[in-house]
Amino acid sequence: MKIKTLLLFLFFILGIKQTALADSPLTSTAISEAYATEKMVIVAGKAEGILTDELAKYLNNKSNPIAIKIAVINKLGWVFEGKNNAELFWNYLKKNNKYKDEADFLKKADANLLICFAYMKALDNYFD
């Protein structure tokens, strides 16, 4: 009986350890590598992780493919200390799309713009 209990305890501990080491697919999937030759992904790679007006304009343009937009955001990356790319993007969107507030944005923005903003927010604050 003691051996069964000990084995169950060991499996439990090993299971917790593996879960604790799990990483988020948002940060560990190198989506941008599949689009490494795309012009805007290259531009994002040179931006030192900071959203520029050029990149924001690209992400805001409805005619640009969503896959490339996601690759651009992925290329900007993330850091444990946090970033403010979502804030920079939000300020760009308010200015250029004339959203009054977040509720207005959520009501009027298309799905591609919403997913870009959500992905950027997720990468900006890894622990939140």
Side-chain angles (χ1 to χ4, degrees):
M1 185 67 165
K2 287 184 182 182
I3 293 176
K4 257 187 181 179
T5 305
L6 179 62
L7 287 174
L8 284 173
F9 177 73
L10 287 174
F11 284 128
F12 177 74
I13 294 299
L14 289 173
I16 289 175
K17 183 179 179 184
Q18 292 301 320
T19 303
L21 296 175
D23 197 6
S24 167
L26 292 175
T27 57
S28 64
T29 306
I31 297 165
S32 60
E33 288 180 13
Y35 300 93
T37 59
E38 293 288 335
K39 178 186 176 204
M40 293 312 290
V41 174
I42 294 168
V43 170
K46 295 176 182 176
E48 299 179 1
I50 307 297
L51 183 72
T52 63
D53 279 348
E54 179 183 15
L55 293 171
K57 182 177 180 180
Y58 182 84
L59 296 174
N60 191 37
N61 187 329
K62 290 181 181 187
S63 65
N64 292 327
I66 187 62
I68 308 299
K69 291 178 180 184
I70 295 298
V72 164
I73 296 166
N74 182 261
K75 189 66 177 180
L76 291 173
W78 64 279
V79 292
F80 275 112
E81 298 82 29
K83 297 179 110 178
N84 70 335
N85 284 334
E87 181 182 344
L88 294 171
F89 193 42
W90 172 241
N91 289 335
Y92 179 90
L93 293 173
K94 283 192 303 187
K95 178 182 174 188
N96 291 282
N97 295 18
K98 306 210 185 318
Y99 295 118
K100 293 180 280 187
D101 53 29
E102 188 176 326
D104 189 41
F105 169 66
L106 294 173
K107 182 178 178 182
K108 294 179 181 175
D110 66 13
N112 289 348
L113 197 55
L114 291 170
I115 195 67
C116 286
F117 186 67
Y119 187 32
M120 208 172 298
K121 280 188 76 87
L123 292 180
D124 274 2
N125 193 343
Y126 183 80
F127 294 109
D128 188 11

PDB file of all heavy atoms in Angstrom, residues 38-75:
ATOM      1  N   GLU A  38       8.762  38.273 -45.998  1.00  0.00           N
ATOM      2  CA  GLU A  38       7.771  39.327 -46.237  1.00  0.00           C
ATOM      3  C   GLU A  38       8.336  40.671 -45.801  1.00  0.00           C
ATOM      4  O   GLU A  38       8.933  40.791 -44.732  1.00  0.00           O
ATOM      5  CB  GLU A  38       6.479  39.044 -45.467  1.00  0.00           C
ATOM      6  CG  GLU A  38       5.718  37.837 -45.956  1.00  0.00           C
ATOM      7  CD  GLU A  38       5.054  38.064 -47.305  1.00  0.00           C
ATOM      8  OE1 GLU A  38       4.764  39.235 -47.654  1.00  0.00           O
ATOM      9  OE2 GLU A  38       4.818  37.066 -47.998  1.00  0.00           O
ATOM     10  N   LYS A  39       8.122  41.684 -46.623  1.00  0.00           N
ATOM     11  CA  LYS A  39       8.699  43.004 -46.380  1.00  0.00           C
ATOM     12  C   LYS A  39       8.389  43.542 -44.983  1.00  0.00           C
ATOM     13  O   LYS A  39       9.286  44.004 -44.269  1.00  0.00           O
ATOM     14  CB  LYS A  39       8.204  43.994 -47.437  1.00  0.00           C
ATOM     15  CG  LYS A  39       8.735  45.400 -47.217  1.00  0.00           C
ATOM     16  CD  LYS A  39       8.135  46.405 -48.173  1.00  0.00           C
ATOM     17  CE  LYS A  39       8.657  47.789 -47.806  1.00  0.00           C
ATOM     18  NZ  LYS A  39       7.814  48.850 -48.237  1.00  0.00           N
ATOM     19  N   MET A  40       7.134  43.492 -44.568  1.00  0.00           N
ATOM     20  CA  MET A  40       6.761  44.093 -43.282  1.00  0.00           C
ATOM     21  C   MET A  40       7.271  43.283 -42.090  1.00  0.00           C
ATOM     22  O   MET A  40       7.515  43.843 -41.027  1.00  0.00           O
ATOM     23  CB  MET A  40       5.257  44.313 -43.195  1.00  0.00           C
ATOM     24  CG  MET A  40       4.745  45.367 -44.165  1.00  0.00           C
ATOM     25  SD  MET A  40       5.696  46.916 -44.181  1.00  0.00           S
ATOM     26  CE  MET A  40       5.284  47.592 -42.597  1.00  0.00           C
ATOM     27  N   VAL A  41       7.472  42.003 -42.256  1.00  0.00           N
ATOM     28  CA  VAL A  41       8.062  41.186 -41.195  1.00  0.00           C
ATOM     29  C   VAL A  41       9.532  41.573 -41.037  1.00  0.00           C
ATOM     30  O   VAL A  41      10.039  41.682 -39.914  1.00  0.00           O
ATOM     31  CB  VAL A  41       7.881  39.681 -41.478  1.00  0.00           C
ATOM     32  CG1 VAL A  41       8.625  38.829 -40.460  1.00  0.00           C
ATOM     33  CG2 VAL A  41       6.397  39.318 -41.493  1.00  0.00           C
ATOM     34  N   ILE A  42      10.189  41.830 -42.143  1.00  0.00           N
ATOM     35  CA  ILE A  42      11.582  42.302 -42.108  1.00  0.00           C
ATOM     36  C   ILE A  42      11.647  43.667 -41.418  1.00  0.00           C
ATOM     37  O   ILE A  42      12.509  43.909 -40.567  1.00  0.00           O
ATOM     38  CB  ILE A  42      12.181  42.350 -43.527  1.00  0.00           C
ATOM     39  CG1 ILE A  42      12.287  40.933 -44.086  1.00  0.00           C
ATOM     40  CG2 ILE A  42      13.534  43.050 -43.533  1.00  0.00           C
ATOM     41  CD1 ILE A  42      12.583  40.856 -45.575  1.00  0.00           C
ATOM     42  N   VAL A  43      10.716  44.551 -41.771  1.00  0.00           N
ATOM     43  CA  VAL A  43      10.654  45.877 -41.143  1.00  0.00           C
ATOM     44  C   VAL A  43      10.442  45.726 -39.629  1.00  0.00           C
ATOM     45  O   VAL A  43      11.092  46.398 -38.826  1.00  0.00           O
ATOM     46  CB  VAL A  43       9.542  46.742 -41.780  1.00  0.00           C
ATOM     47  CG1 VAL A  43       9.291  48.012 -40.985  1.00  0.00           C
ATOM     48  CG2 VAL A  43       9.893  47.074 -43.227  1.00  0.00           C
ATOM     49  N   ALA A  44       9.543  44.838 -39.240  1.00  0.00           N
ATOM     50  CA  ALA A  44       9.280  44.604 -37.813  1.00  0.00           C
ATOM     51  C   ALA A  44      10.535  44.088 -37.104  1.00  0.00           C
ATOM     52  O   ALA A  44      10.796  44.451 -35.958  1.00  0.00           O
ATOM     53  CB  ALA A  44       8.126  43.623 -37.639  1.00  0.00           C
ATOM     54  N   GLY A  45      11.303  43.279 -37.786  1.00  0.00           N
ATOM     55  CA  GLY A  45      12.533  42.760 -37.209  1.00  0.00           C
ATOM     56  C   GLY A  45      13.564  43.836 -36.936  1.00  0.00           C
ATOM     57  O   GLY A  45      14.401  43.697 -36.040  1.00  0.00           O
ATOM     58  N   LYS A  46      13.499  44.901 -37.694  1.00  0.00           N
ATOM     59  CA  LYS A  46      14.440  46.017 -37.519  1.00  0.00           C
ATOM     60  C   LYS A  46      13.927  47.071 -36.541  1.00  0.00           C
ATOM     61  O   LYS A  46      14.643  48.020 -36.236  1.00  0.00           O
ATOM     62  CB  LYS A  46      14.727  46.666 -38.874  1.00  0.00           C
ATOM     63  CG  LYS A  46      15.451  45.741 -39.832  1.00  0.00           C
ATOM     64  CD  LYS A  46      15.644  46.378 -41.191  1.00  0.00           C
ATOM     65  CE  LYS A  46      16.333  45.405 -42.145  1.00  0.00           C
ATOM     66  NZ  LYS A  46      16.448  45.955 -43.490  1.00  0.00           N
ATOM     67  N   ALA A  47      12.714  46.910 -36.051  1.00  0.00           N
ATOM     68  CA  ALA A  47      12.077  47.912 -35.188  1.00  0.00           C
ATOM     69  C   ALA A  47      12.457  47.764 -33.716  1.00  0.00           C
ATOM     70  O   ALA A  47      11.942  48.503 -32.886  1.00  0.00           O
ATOM     71  CB  ALA A  47      10.556  47.846 -35.344  1.00  0.00           C
ATOM     72  N   GLU A  48      13.311  46.826 -33.406  1.00  0.00           N
ATOM     73  CA  GLU A  48      13.777  46.600 -32.036  1.00  0.00           C
ATOM     74  C   GLU A  48      12.633  46.357 -31.058  1.00  0.00           C
ATOM     75  O   GLU A  48      12.668  46.801 -29.911  1.00  0.00           O
ATOM     76  CB  GLU A  48      14.682  47.739 -31.577  1.00  0.00           C
ATOM     77  CG  GLU A  48      15.929  47.887 -32.433  1.00  0.00           C
ATOM     78  CD  GLU A  48      16.831  49.026 -32.007  1.00  0.00           C
ATOM     79  OE1 GLU A  48      16.524  49.727 -31.025  1.00  0.00           O
ATOM     80  OE2 GLU A  48      17.862  49.195 -32.678  1.00  0.00           O
ATOM     81  N   GLY A  49      11.582  45.687 -31.529  1.00  0.00           N
ATOM     82  CA  GLY A  49      10.463  45.323 -30.665  1.00  0.00           C
ATOM     83  C   GLY A  49       9.452  46.407 -30.396  1.00  0.00           C
ATOM     84  O   GLY A  49       8.505  46.207 -29.640  1.00  0.00           O
ATOM     85  N   ILE A  50       9.620  47.574 -31.015  1.00  0.00           N
ATOM     86  CA  ILE A  50       8.723  48.703 -30.775  1.00  0.00           C
ATOM     87  C   ILE A  50       7.846  48.950 -31.995  1.00  0.00           C
ATOM     88  O   ILE A  50       8.343  49.061 -33.119  1.00  0.00           O
ATOM     89  CB  ILE A  50       9.528  49.994 -30.457  1.00  0.00           C
ATOM     90  CG1 ILE A  50      10.515  49.761 -29.322  1.00  0.00           C
ATOM     91  CG2 ILE A  50       8.590  51.159 -30.170  1.00  0.00           C
ATOM     92  CD1 ILE A  50       9.890  49.404 -27.999  1.00  0.00           C
ATOM     93  N   LEU A  51       6.557  49.056 -31.777  1.00  0.00           N
ATOM     94  CA  LEU A  51       5.619  49.344 -32.863  1.00  0.00           C
ATOM     95  C   LEU A  51       5.870  50.743 -33.407  1.00  0.00           C
ATOM     96  O   LEU A  51       5.821  51.724 -32.669  1.00  0.00           O
ATOM     97  CB  LEU A  51       4.178  49.233 -32.372  1.00  0.00           C
ATOM     98  CG  LEU A  51       3.113  49.446 -33.440  1.00  0.00           C
ATOM     99  CD1 LEU A  51       3.066  48.252 -34.384  1.00  0.00           C
ATOM    100  CD2 LEU A  51       1.761  49.672 -32.793  1.00  0.00           C
ATOM    101  N   THR A  52       6.137  50.831 -34.689  1.00  0.00           N
ATOM    102  CA  THR A  52       6.354  52.121 -35.344  1.00  0.00           C
ATOM    103  C   THR A  52       5.063  52.547 -36.041  1.00  0.00           C
ATOM    104  O   THR A  52       4.144  51.739 -36.226  1.00  0.00           O
ATOM    105  CB  THR A  52       7.473  52.019 -36.390  1.00  0.00           C
ATOM    106  OG1 THR A  52       7.060  51.103 -37.422  1.00  0.00           O
ATOM    107  CG2 THR A  52       8.782  51.538 -35.765  1.00  0.00           C
ATOM    108  N   ASP A  53       5.000  53.801 -36.479  1.00  0.00           N
ATOM    109  CA  ASP A  53       3.833  54.278 -37.233  1.00  0.00           C
ATOM    110  C   ASP A  53       3.675  53.495 -38.532  1.00  0.00           C
ATOM    111  O   ASP A  53       2.559  53.202 -38.954  1.00  0.00           O
ATOM    112  CB  ASP A  53       3.946  55.769 -37.529  1.00  0.00           C
ATOM    113  CG  ASP A  53       3.536  56.640 -36.345  1.00  0.00           C
ATOM    114  OD1 ASP A  53       2.946  56.104 -35.382  1.00  0.00           O
ATOM    115  OD2 ASP A  53       3.808  57.849 -36.386  1.00  0.00           O
ATOM    116  N   GLU A  54       4.790  53.163 -39.167  1.00  0.00           N
ATOM    117  CA  GLU A  54       4.739  52.385 -40.414  1.00  0.00           C
ATOM    118  C   GLU A  54       4.090  51.025 -40.178  1.00  0.00           C
ATOM    119  O   GLU A  54       3.233  50.592 -40.959  1.00  0.00           O
ATOM    120  CB  GLU A  54       6.150  52.206 -40.977  1.00  0.00           C
ATOM    121  CG  GLU A  54       6.200  51.387 -42.253  1.00  0.00           C
ATOM    122  CD  GLU A  54       7.610  51.152 -42.773  1.00  0.00           C
ATOM    123  OE1 GLU A  54       8.587  51.376 -42.025  1.00  0.00           O
ATOM    124  OE2 GLU A  54       7.733  50.724 -43.938  1.00  0.00           O
ATOM    125  N   LEU A  55       4.459  50.358 -39.093  1.00  0.00           N
ATOM    126  CA  LEU A  55       3.880  49.053 -38.782  1.00  0.00           C
ATOM    127  C   LEU A  55       2.421  49.188 -38.365  1.00  0.00           C
ATOM    128  O   LEU A  55       1.581  48.379 -38.758  1.00  0.00           O
ATOM    129  CB  LEU A  55       4.691  48.359 -37.689  1.00  0.00           C
ATOM    130  CG  LEU A  55       6.107  47.945 -38.091  1.00  0.00           C
ATOM    131  CD1 LEU A  55       6.896  47.480 -36.868  1.00  0.00           C
ATOM    132  CD2 LEU A  55       6.089  46.873 -39.163  1.00  0.00           C
ATOM    133  N   ALA A  56       2.105  50.212 -37.579  1.00  0.00           N
ATOM    134  CA  ALA A  56       0.718  50.445 -37.163  1.00  0.00           C
ATOM    135  C   ALA A  56      -0.169  50.696 -38.380  1.00  0.00           C
ATOM    136  O   ALA A  56      -1.290  50.185 -38.453  1.00  0.00           O
ATOM    137  CB  ALA A  56       0.647  51.615 -36.189  1.00  0.00           C
ATOM    138  N   LYS A  57       0.342  51.467 -39.329  1.00  0.00           N
ATOM    139  CA  LYS A  57      -0.410  51.746 -40.552  1.00  0.00           C
ATOM    140  C   LYS A  57      -0.672  50.449 -41.318  1.00  0.00           C
ATOM    141  O   LYS A  57      -1.777  50.214 -41.817  1.00  0.00           O
ATOM    142  CB  LYS A  57       0.365  52.733 -41.420  1.00  0.00           C
ATOM    143  CG  LYS A  57      -0.352  53.124 -42.689  1.00  0.00           C
ATOM    144  CD  LYS A  57       0.458  54.161 -43.474  1.00  0.00           C
ATOM    145  CE  LYS A  57      -0.268  54.537 -44.751  1.00  0.00           C
ATOM    146  NZ  LYS A  57       0.485  55.539 -45.522  1.00  0.00           N
ATOM    147  N   TYR A  58       0.341  49.593 -41.389  1.00  0.00           N
ATOM    148  CA  TYR A  58       0.186  48.303 -42.067  1.00  0.00           C
ATOM    149  C   TYR A  58      -0.877  47.455 -41.370  1.00  0.00           C
ATOM    150  O   TYR A  58      -1.749  46.878 -42.022  1.00  0.00           O
ATOM    151  CB  TYR A  58       1.521  47.552 -42.106  1.00  0.00           C
ATOM    152  CG  TYR A  58       1.418  46.235 -42.835  1.00  0.00           C
ATOM    153  CD1 TYR A  58       1.532  46.184 -44.220  1.00  0.00           C
ATOM    154  CD2 TYR A  58       1.180  45.054 -42.142  1.00  0.00           C
ATOM    155  CE1 TYR A  58       1.409  44.985 -44.901  1.00  0.00           C
ATOM    156  CE2 TYR A  58       1.058  43.847 -42.812  1.00  0.00           C
ATOM    157  CZ  TYR A  58       1.175  43.812 -44.188  1.00  0.00           C
ATOM    158  OH  TYR A  58       1.047  42.627 -44.859  1.00  0.00           O
ATOM    159  N   LEU A  59      -0.815  47.376 -40.048  1.00  0.00           N
ATOM    160  CA  LEU A  59      -1.782  46.574 -39.293  1.00  0.00           C
ATOM    161  C   LEU A  59      -3.195  47.129 -39.413  1.00  0.00           C
ATOM    162  O   LEU A  59      -4.170  46.374 -39.394  1.00  0.00           O
ATOM    163  CB  LEU A  59      -1.377  46.523 -37.820  1.00  0.00           C
ATOM    164  CG  LEU A  59      -0.054  45.824 -37.503  1.00  0.00           C
ATOM    165  CD1 LEU A  59       0.291  45.988 -36.024  1.00  0.00           C
ATOM    166  CD2 LEU A  59      -0.088  44.366 -37.892  1.00  0.00           C
ATOM    167  N   ASN A  60      -3.327  48.413 -39.563  1.00  0.00           N
ATOM    168  CA  ASN A  60      -4.634  49.068 -39.655  1.00  0.00           C
ATOM    169  C   ASN A  60      -5.265  48.955 -41.044  1.00  0.00           C
ATOM    170  O   ASN A  60      -6.468  49.128 -41.191  1.00  0.00           O
ATOM    171  CB  ASN A  60      -4.497  50.542 -39.247  1.00  0.00           C
ATOM    172  CG  ASN A  60      -5.820  51.224 -39.050  1.00  0.00           C
ATOM    173  OD1 ASN A  60      -6.770  50.640 -38.549  1.00  0.00           O
ATOM    174  ND2 ASN A  60      -5.879  52.483 -39.444  1.00  0.00           N
ATOM    175  N   ASN A  61      -4.467  48.648 -42.036  1.00  0.00           N
ATOM    176  CA  ASN A  61      -4.942  48.578 -43.417  1.00  0.00           C
ATOM    177  C   ASN A  61      -5.723  47.279 -43.640  1.00  0.00           C
ATOM    178  O   ASN A  61      -5.174  46.185 -43.570  1.00  0.00           O
ATOM    179  CB  ASN A  61      -3.762  48.661 -44.377  1.00  0.00           C
ATOM    180  CG  ASN A  61      -4.190  48.761 -45.822  1.00  0.00           C
ATOM    181  OD1 ASN A  61      -5.223  48.239 -46.228  1.00  0.00           O
ATOM    182  ND2 ASN A  61      -3.381  49.436 -46.609  1.00  0.00           N
ATOM    183  N   LYS A  62      -7.018  47.413 -43.934  1.00  0.00           N
ATOM    184  CA  LYS A  62      -7.895  46.248 -44.098  1.00  0.00           C
ATOM    185  C   LYS A  62      -7.502  45.336 -45.260  1.00  0.00           C
ATOM    186  O   LYS A  62      -7.837  44.157 -45.261  1.00  0.00           O
ATOM    187  CB  LYS A  62      -9.342  46.701 -44.284  1.00  0.00           C
ATOM    188  CG  LYS A  62      -9.949  47.291 -43.054  1.00  0.00           C
ATOM    189  CD  LYS A  62     -11.385  47.697 -43.274  1.00  0.00           C
ATOM    190  CE  LYS A  62     -11.941  48.316 -42.012  1.00  0.00           C
ATOM    191  NZ  LYS A  62     -13.356  48.575 -42.088  1.00  0.00           N
ATOM    192  N   SER A  63      -6.796  45.880 -46.243  1.00  0.00           N
ATOM    193  CA  SER A  63      -6.456  45.061 -47.413  1.00  0.00           C
ATOM    194  C   SER A  63      -5.229  44.177 -47.200  1.00  0.00           C
ATOM    195  O   SER A  63      -4.954  43.308 -48.012  1.00  0.00           O
ATOM    196  CB  SER A  63      -6.250  45.955 -48.644  1.00  0.00           C
ATOM    197  OG  SER A  63      -5.125  46.794 -48.455  1.00  0.00           O
ATOM    198  N   ASN A  64      -4.508  44.372 -46.111  1.00  0.00           N
ATOM    199  CA  ASN A  64      -3.335  43.536 -45.843  1.00  0.00           C
ATOM    200  C   ASN A  64      -3.761  42.209 -45.217  1.00  0.00           C
ATOM    201  O   ASN A  64      -4.667  42.181 -44.383  1.00  0.00           O
ATOM    202  CB  ASN A  64      -2.350  44.268 -44.938  1.00  0.00           C
ATOM    203  CG  ASN A  64      -1.728  45.452 -45.633  1.00  0.00           C
ATOM    204  OD1 ASN A  64      -1.504  45.441 -46.834  1.00  0.00           O
ATOM    205  ND2 ASN A  64      -1.462  46.507 -44.880  1.00  0.00           N
ATOM    206  N   PRO A  65      -3.110  41.115 -45.607  1.00  0.00           N
ATOM    207  CA  PRO A  65      -3.498  39.786 -45.108  1.00  0.00           C
ATOM    208  C   PRO A  65      -3.289  39.631 -43.599  1.00  0.00           C
ATOM    209  O   PRO A  65      -2.262  40.043 -43.059  1.00  0.00           O
ATOM    210  CB  PRO A  65      -2.575  38.820 -45.865  1.00  0.00           C
ATOM    211  CG  PRO A  65      -1.853  39.621 -46.881  1.00  0.00           C
ATOM    212  CD  PRO A  65      -1.999  41.058 -46.546  1.00  0.00           C
ATOM    213  N   ILE A  66      -4.255  39.016 -42.947  1.00  0.00           N
ATOM    214  CA  ILE A  66      -4.191  38.838 -41.503  1.00  0.00           C
ATOM    215  C   ILE A  66      -2.995  37.979 -41.102  1.00  0.00           C
ATOM    216  O   ILE A  66      -2.383  38.215 -40.048  1.00  0.00           O
ATOM    217  CB  ILE A  66      -5.517  38.270 -40.933  1.00  0.00           C
ATOM    218  CG1 ILE A  66      -5.498  38.258 -39.389  1.00  0.00           C
ATOM    219  CG2 ILE A  66      -5.807  36.898 -41.484  1.00  0.00           C
ATOM    220  CD1 ILE A  66      -5.370  39.595 -38.739  1.00  0.00           C
ATOM    221  N   ALA A  67      -2.625  37.005 -41.898  1.00  0.00           N
ATOM    222  CA  ALA A  67      -1.479  36.144 -41.559  1.00  0.00           C
ATOM    223  C   ALA A  67      -0.195  36.964 -41.451  1.00  0.00           C
ATOM    224  O   ALA A  67       0.601  36.748 -40.529  1.00  0.00           O
ATOM    225  CB  ALA A  67      -1.318  35.047 -42.599  1.00  0.00           C
ATOM    226  N   ILE A  68      -0.013  37.908 -42.340  1.00  0.00           N
ATOM    227  CA  ILE A  68       1.189  38.755 -42.303  1.00  0.00           C
ATOM    228  C   ILE A  68       1.111  39.700 -41.111  1.00  0.00           C
ATOM    229  O   ILE A  68       2.112  39.957 -40.438  1.00  0.00           O
ATOM    230  CB  ILE A  68       1.372  39.547 -43.616  1.00  0.00           C
ATOM    231  CG1 ILE A  68       1.312  38.626 -44.838  1.00  0.00           C
ATOM    232  CG2 ILE A  68       2.671  40.344 -43.589  1.00  0.00           C
ATOM    233  CD1 ILE A  68       2.366  37.562 -44.878  1.00  0.00           C
ATOM    234  N   LYS A  69      -0.079  40.210 -40.823  1.00  0.00           N
ATOM    235  CA  LYS A  69      -0.246  41.091 -39.667  1.00  0.00           C
ATOM    236  C   LYS A  69       0.148  40.363 -38.376  1.00  0.00           C
ATOM    237  O   LYS A  69       0.861  40.913 -37.533  1.00  0.00           O
ATOM    238  CB  LYS A  69      -1.693  41.587 -39.569  1.00  0.00           C
ATOM    239  CG  LYS A  69      -2.097  42.544 -40.671  1.00  0.00           C
ATOM    240  CD  LYS A  69      -3.556  42.944 -40.507  1.00  0.00           C
ATOM    241  CE  LYS A  69      -4.008  43.897 -41.574  1.00  0.00           C
ATOM    242  NZ  LYS A  69      -5.393  44.369 -41.359  1.00  0.00           N
ATOM    243  N   ILE A  70      -0.315  39.134 -38.226  1.00  0.00           N
ATOM    244  CA  ILE A  70       0.014  38.343 -37.041  1.00  0.00           C
ATOM    245  C   ILE A  70       1.522  38.070 -36.998  1.00  0.00           C
ATOM    246  O   ILE A  70       2.142  38.139 -35.935  1.00  0.00           O
ATOM    247  CB  ILE A  70      -0.794  37.034 -37.017  1.00  0.00           C
ATOM    248  CG1 ILE A  70      -2.293  37.333 -36.873  1.00  0.00           C
ATOM    249  CG2 ILE A  70      -0.305  36.097 -35.930  1.00  0.00           C
ATOM    250  CD1 ILE A  70      -2.684  38.042 -35.598  1.00  0.00           C
ATOM    251  N   ALA A  71       2.118  37.799 -38.147  1.00  0.00           N
ATOM    252  CA  ALA A  71       3.567  37.563 -38.214  1.00  0.00           C
ATOM    253  C   ALA A  71       4.344  38.819 -37.813  1.00  0.00           C
ATOM    254  O   ALA A  71       5.381  38.725 -37.142  1.00  0.00           O
ATOM    255  CB  ALA A  71       3.965  37.105 -39.609  1.00  0.00           C
ATOM    256  N   VAL A  72       3.855  39.981 -38.202  1.00  0.00           N
ATOM    257  CA  VAL A  72       4.492  41.251 -37.828  1.00  0.00           C
ATOM    258  C   VAL A  72       4.460  41.420 -36.310  1.00  0.00           C
ATOM    259  O   VAL A  72       5.487  41.739 -35.681  1.00  0.00           O
ATOM    260  CB  VAL A  72       3.804  42.444 -38.535  1.00  0.00           C
ATOM    261  CG1 VAL A  72       4.166  43.765 -37.880  1.00  0.00           C
ATOM    262  CG2 VAL A  72       4.151  42.450 -40.015  1.00  0.00           C
ATOM    263  N   ILE A  73       3.308  41.204 -35.711  1.00  0.00           N
ATOM    264  CA  ILE A  73       3.175  41.337 -34.258  1.00  0.00           C
ATOM    265  C   ILE A  73       4.076  40.325 -33.557  1.00  0.00           C
ATOM    266  O   ILE A  73       4.766  40.645 -32.588  1.00  0.00           O
ATOM    267  CB  ILE A  73       1.702  41.187 -33.827  1.00  0.00           C
ATOM    268  CG1 ILE A  73       0.869  42.311 -34.419  1.00  0.00           C
ATOM    269  CG2 ILE A  73       1.575  41.152 -32.305  1.00  0.00           C
ATOM    270  CD1 ILE A  73      -0.632  42.085 -34.345  1.00  0.00           C
ATOM    271  N   ASN A  74       4.079  39.100 -34.064  1.00  0.00           N
ATOM    272  CA  ASN A  74       4.921  38.056 -33.503  1.00  0.00           C
ATOM    273  C   ASN A  74       6.401  38.434 -33.575  1.00  0.00           C
ATOM    274  O   ASN A  74       7.160  38.199 -32.633  1.00  0.00           O
ATOM    275  CB  ASN A  74       4.650  36.736 -34.238  1.00  0.00           C
ATOM    276  CG  ASN A  74       5.437  35.582 -33.690  1.00  0.00           C
ATOM    277  OD1 ASN A  74       6.469  35.221 -34.252  1.00  0.00           O
ATOM    278  ND2 ASN A  74       4.955  34.998 -32.619  1.00  0.00           N
ATOM    279  N   LYS A  75       6.795  39.050 -34.671  1.00  0.00           N
ATOM    280  CA  LYS A  75       8.191  39.460 -34.848  1.00  0.00           C
ATOM    281  C   LYS A  75       8.576  40.561 -33.862  1.00  0.00           C
ATOM    282  O   LYS A  75       9.731  40.617 -33.402  1.00  0.00           O
ATOM    283  CB  LYS A  75       8.431  39.931 -36.292  1.00  0.00           C
ATOM    284  CG  LYS A  75       9.878  40.174 -36.622  1.00  0.00           C
ATOM    285  CD  LYS A  75      10.655  38.876 -36.579  1.00  0.00           C
ATOM    286  CE  LYS A  75      12.091  39.074 -36.973  1.00  0.00           C
ATOM    287  NZ  LYS A  75      12.848  37.833 -36.926  1.00  0.00           N
TER     288      LYS A  75
END
